[in-house]
Amino acid sequence: MIEIGKILRSARLVAVLATALAISACANQAADNAGGAGGAGSASTPGSQQDFVVNVGDRVFFETDQTELTALGRATLDKQAQWLTNYSQYSFTIEGHADERGTREYNIALGARRAQSTRDYLISRGIQAARIKTISYGKERPVAVCNDISCWSQNRRAVTVLNAGS
Amino acid sequence: MISNKLVFNRRRLLVGAGAGALAGTLPILMPRKAGAALRVEITQGNPQPMPIALPEFVAGSPAETEIARNVTAIITSNLQRSGLFAPINPAAFTEKITNSDAVPRFPDWRVINAQALVTGRMTRQADGRLKAEFRLWDVFAGQQLDGKQYFTTPDNARRIAHIISDAIYQTLTGEKGYFDSRIVFVDETGPKERRIKRLAIMDQDGAGTRYLTRGDDLVLTPRFNPSTQEITYMSYGQADPRVYLLNIETGQREIVGNFPGMTFAPRFSSDGQRVIMSLQQGPNSNLFVMDLRSKQTTRLTDTPAIDTGPCYSPDGRYICFESDRGGSQQIYVMAATGGPAQRISFGEGNHSTPVWSPRGDFIAFTGQSRGQFSIGVLKPDGSGERLLTSGFHNEGPTFAPNGRVLMFFREQGAGPSLYTIDITGRNELKVPTPALASDPAWSPLLS
């Protein structure tokens, strides 16, 4: 299980290098979100959902049991805010998540706090509150399934999901 | 969605037994000698389980042979799993019980060191109902300790076995049993990142699982109403996550209250008339209670913190809950009407998911320390903290109706499973479930 996890992460790293993005953690996730179907992000149309996921980065990460944004997280959200200002037709949902090292109900509340920190930051960067919904999934929807620290860190996240219909 | 078989008509079980099962008590054949009570000591975790003989119940006619065998097997399994009894291998029996009304040949049972003996009979009545009879014998005193008969429909044979198990447990321990009870839990299938979760209900021994939801919506943390056929749980429906009520007889479902945000962590009050839950407001989660009849809601906590995992004391006067208001998840107790709360957990690490024992003597919790997740108990005044089992990752204890056993879930490599453990910390057992299982909640006794 753990071995497989390592191999997958290596594969993602290759994708990151291929897209030559600067911020490794975000890019890592961007590549992950692009589905690993090959050629991640190389052909995304500006203003498309894929553009947002691949070239901006749709998620920020948190320290264990923390809900404060990291410097890296704020940098990602600055880019998100700029993109969302440019493409103001999108409304979106911020999904807050926790890793599995917490109890279920606390993690639901913790994920809600992470979504809220992310929302508040985007609002402080000029995004209208009316465009934003938040939801918490607690530890119910991990993206990385394994049992080590680097893996858990990918699950402590807030993901900005553009509403498809908007 | 709900099978009718799930529905149990309690009255039907008692038809023919007058005012209750006790009305069918058989005459005591011999007087009990004063001071000769056969007793299992249960407070110390009982390192010496009582040897008990459970010969197959007699079949009133050949048609009842299988049902008699099944009932005997269920009783044997219940008593064995309690850890308080050691059923003797039937291969050692020398007397074959052919008439459950006759006094057994006690020397035959003494020689295999059986201290207690259970005999019984299952008979189909002319009206189609089943008559179940049992007698509990003190082998060394040579006397009957208990004897009852019950009438029910044949589809209730499992329940009869659980009710007889409880009667034996109560006579030999002096405390009420917990076998005639059920577990509502979350059945889990599919890969971890796309887990399908369904509400399910089963007997406390893991038998007879029925599914209450189909798996379309993510469902979490079910709890029984202590007085009705109703459960409350959290569900991610088409809209925001909310607390729901589900009637397990009719399948009828409704959202609890009209709150401006996510509601979660629901529990019933001890009288079943109210639901207490967390409401998320911005970064905080606070406790609210809703009266189910008047629909009136009352805020109970108002802190810039995560207040969740609420639980009423059995007498309904207090609420315990977890809060990170002091910087980490700890257990607090306050009056049921809200107001100031007192922290009671001061052991190492975090303490969360408190549940009050139906006996009132303990609060069980999930403990987190040094990367380990434990199931523990402490007294409501915060003293006497003990960890019963530790590892990665144990969570979510729920008390058996008699407060002697806890069920919880353990997440391991493959996923979560259900386990039971005595509050003494002994007798840890896996509970069989059809698939992965989490979030167990134990019902009150059904009868």
Side-chain angles (χ1 to χ4, degrees):
Chain A
M1 191 76 159
I2 291 171
E3 283 310 309
I4 291 167
K6 281 175 181 162
I7 292 161
L8 285 176
R9 279 198 301 288
S10 310
R12 281 188 210 120
L13 199 57
V14 171
V16 169
L17 293 172
T19 55
L21 292 176
I23 304 165
S24 63
C26 303
N28 186 340
Q29 285 306 319
D32 179 33
N33 218 54
S42 53
S44 57
T45 315
S48 68
Q49 303 215 12
Q50 194 187 18
D51 177 38
F52 179 73
V53 170
V54 175
N55 297 321
V56 176
D58 66 340
R59 61 197 60 198
V60 296
F61 300 95
F62 296 85
E63 298 298 319
T64 300
D65 203 15
Q66 296 300 309
T67 58
E68 298 291 318
L69 294 164
T70 63
L72 198 58
R74 287 194 299 273
T76 302
L77 293 182
D78 286 338
K79 290 172 66 184
Q80 285 192 8
Q82 190 174 26
W83 194 94
L84 290 163
T85 303
N86 291 343
Y87 302 104
S88 59
Q89 71 271 29
Y90 287 103
S91 62
F92 55 96
T93 302
I94 300 169
E95 298 178 350
H97 298 269
D99 70 24
E100 63 192 86
R101 293 173 307 159
T103 46
R104 192 177 313 289
E105 291 168 341
Y106 177 79
N107 275 357
I108 287 168
L110 187 66
R113 264 191 188 165
R114 287 174 174 161
Q116 195 72 25
S117 315
T118 305
R119 173 184 186 273
D120 291 349
Y121 190 86
L122 289 175
I123 290 171
S124 79
R125 288 294 178 270
I127 305 299
Q128 282 183 311
R131 295 172 65 190
I132 312 175
K133 279 190 55 155
T134 61
I135 189 169
S136 172
Y137 286 99
K139 61 177 171 180
E140 304 305 316
R141 289 288 179 261
V143 279
V145 179
C146 52
N147 291 306
D148 62 53
I149 288 166
S150 60
C151 205
W152 285 325
S153 68
Q154 297 177 54
N155 290 331
R156 296 190 301 269
R157 68 201 193 276
V159 184
T160 303
V161 180
L162 303 177
N163 291 346
S166 56
Chain B
M1 180 164 64
I2 312 267
S3 157
N4 271 337
K5 278 183 135 179
L6 182 68
V7 177
F8 173 72
N9 185 335
R10 194 171 304 178
R11 270 164 302 178
R12 194 185 283 169
L13 186 70
L14 300 175
V15 167
L22 279 169
T25 300
L26 298 171
I28 302 270
L29 298 183
M30 279 179 271
R32 273 175 74 172
K33 277 179 256 168
L38 183 60
R39 257 312 143 82
V40 184
E41 177 56 52
I42 66 176
T43 52
Q44 300 304 317
N46 199 56
Q48 286 271 294
M50 176 189 283
I52 187 168
L54 295 132
E56 198 168 296
F57 277 24
V58 176
S61 78
E64 287 93 71
T65 303
E66 192 181 338
I67 212 161
R69 182 176 303 142
N70 290 343
V71 163
T72 314
I74 293 164
I75 297 168
T76 304
S77 168
N78 279 337
L79 296 177
Q80 178 143 33
R81 288 179 65 86
S82 78
L84 302 175
F85 303 92
I88 295 168
N89 185 345
F93 301 166
T94 50
E95 182 187 9
K96 180 166 172 59
I97 302 293
T98 52
N99 177 4
S100 62
D101 289 330
V103 177
R105 295 198 305 265
F106 291 114
D108 282 20
W109 300 98
R110 284 182 200 129
V111 79
I112 59 168
N113 198 34
Q115 294 192 36
L117 167 67
V118 179
T119 59
R121 180 169 53 200
M122 305 296 291
T123 314
R124 185 79 65 122
Q125 305 295 99
D127 62 5
R129 288 181 308 153
L130 205 56
K131 180 168 78 171
E133 304 162 273
F134 84 95
R135 293 172 195 258
L136 172 62
W137 309 88
D138 178 339
V139 171
F140 283 83
Q143 66 184 21
Q144 181 176 315
L145 297 175
D146 195 6
K148 292 189 176 77
Q149 61 183 19
Y150 309 87
F151 295 88
T152 186
T153 53
D155 59 332
N156 276 324
R158 280 195 62 81
R159 278 213 52 200
I160 282 293
H162 290 317
I163 288 168
I164 292 173
S165 304
D166 280 328
I168 295 166
Y169 183 101
Q170 184 164 1
T171 302
L172 294 178
T173 69
E175 296 195 3
K176 274 187 169 296
Y178 55 89
F179 303 116
D180 186 26
S181 61
R182 295 191 294 199
I183 308 294
V184 62
F185 65 101
V186 173
D187 169 273
E188 301 194 14
T189 50
K192 194 170 182 179
E193 69 277 16
R194 284 178 287 115
R195 205 44 73 71
I196 292 168
K197 294 195 172 191
R198 292 183 291 177
L199 293 182
I201 193 168
M202 64 184 182
D203 289 359
Q204 50 75 29
D205 58 357
T209 301
R210 300 274 185 278
Y211 299 96
L212 303 174
T213 61
R214 286 179 306 201
D216 306 332
D217 299 333
L218 178 61
V219 291
L220 304 171
T221 65
R223 294 291 191 280
F224 277 105
N225 187 320
S227 54
T228 66
Q229 296 281 353
E230 206 169 41
I231 58 173
T232 183
Y233 61 103
M234 180 195 191
S235 176
Y236 288 68
Q238 272 61 55
D240 290 334
R242 288 278 187 269
V243 166
Y244 286 77
L245 288 179
L246 174 69
N247 186 310
I248 58 180
E249 281 187 29
T250 64
Q252 193 181 345
R253 201 175 72 141
E254 63 176 280
I255 293 175
V256 178
N258 181 24
F259 292 96
M262 173 176 70
T263 49
F264 61 107
R267 325 277 192 255
F268 285 100
S269 59
S270 315
D271 62 5
Q273 299 297 319
R274 284 158 289 154
V275 171
I276 186 172
M277 70 202 105
S278 291
L279 168 68
Q280 182 222 340
Q281 295 176 299
N284 305 318
S285 294
N286 278 278
L287 297 177
F288 285 74
V289 64
M290 190 179 102
D291 187 294
L292 292 174
R293 282 184 292 198
S294 71
K295 308 291 183 194
Q296 188 189 342
T297 60
T298 309
R299 171 190 283 273
L300 295 172
T301 67
D302 191 0
T303 53
I306 293 172
D307 292 348
T308 191
C311 176
Y312 281 93
S313 62
D315 63 8
R317 293 171 61 202
Y318 299 99
I319 292 165
C320 64
F321 62 100
E322 62 170 88
S323 176
D324 68 348
R325 59 184 65 183
S328 66
Q329 283 171 281
Q330 299 298 343
I331 301 170
Y332 291 76
V333 173
M334 66 180 176
T337 49
Q342 192 179 358
R343 177 173 165 183
I344 63 162
S345 60
F346 291 95
E348 186 180 325
N350 290 0
H351 299 72
S352 57
T353 78
V355 284
W356 217 304
S357 166
R359 299 161 63 90
D361 53 354
F362 287 113
I363 290 170
F365 60 89
T366 305
Q368 295 167 65
S369 177
R370 305 179 192 200
Q372 298 287 292
F373 284 66
S374 308
I375 302 300
V377 293
L378 46 65
K379 292 182 179 162
D381 66 3
S383 67
E385 178 171 333
R386 281 186 289 125
L387 299 184
L388 308 179
T389 184
S390 294
F392 191 84
H393 153 151
N394 304 293
E395 184 177 335
T398 178
F399 274 102
N402 71 353
R404 288 290 179 194
V405 181
L406 287 165
M407 192 177 291
F408 58 96
F409 71 93
R410 173 172 295 163
E411 182 92 42
Q412 287 169 317
S417 303
L418 305 185
Y419 286 80
T420 54
I421 192 165
D422 289 10
I423 58 167
T424 57
R426 295 183 74 258
N427 197 33
E428 184 177 296
L429 294 170
K430 192 170 188 288
V431 181
T433 49
L436 300 175
S438 59
D439 291 5
W442 214 312
S443 80
L445 274 181
L446 297 174
S447 54

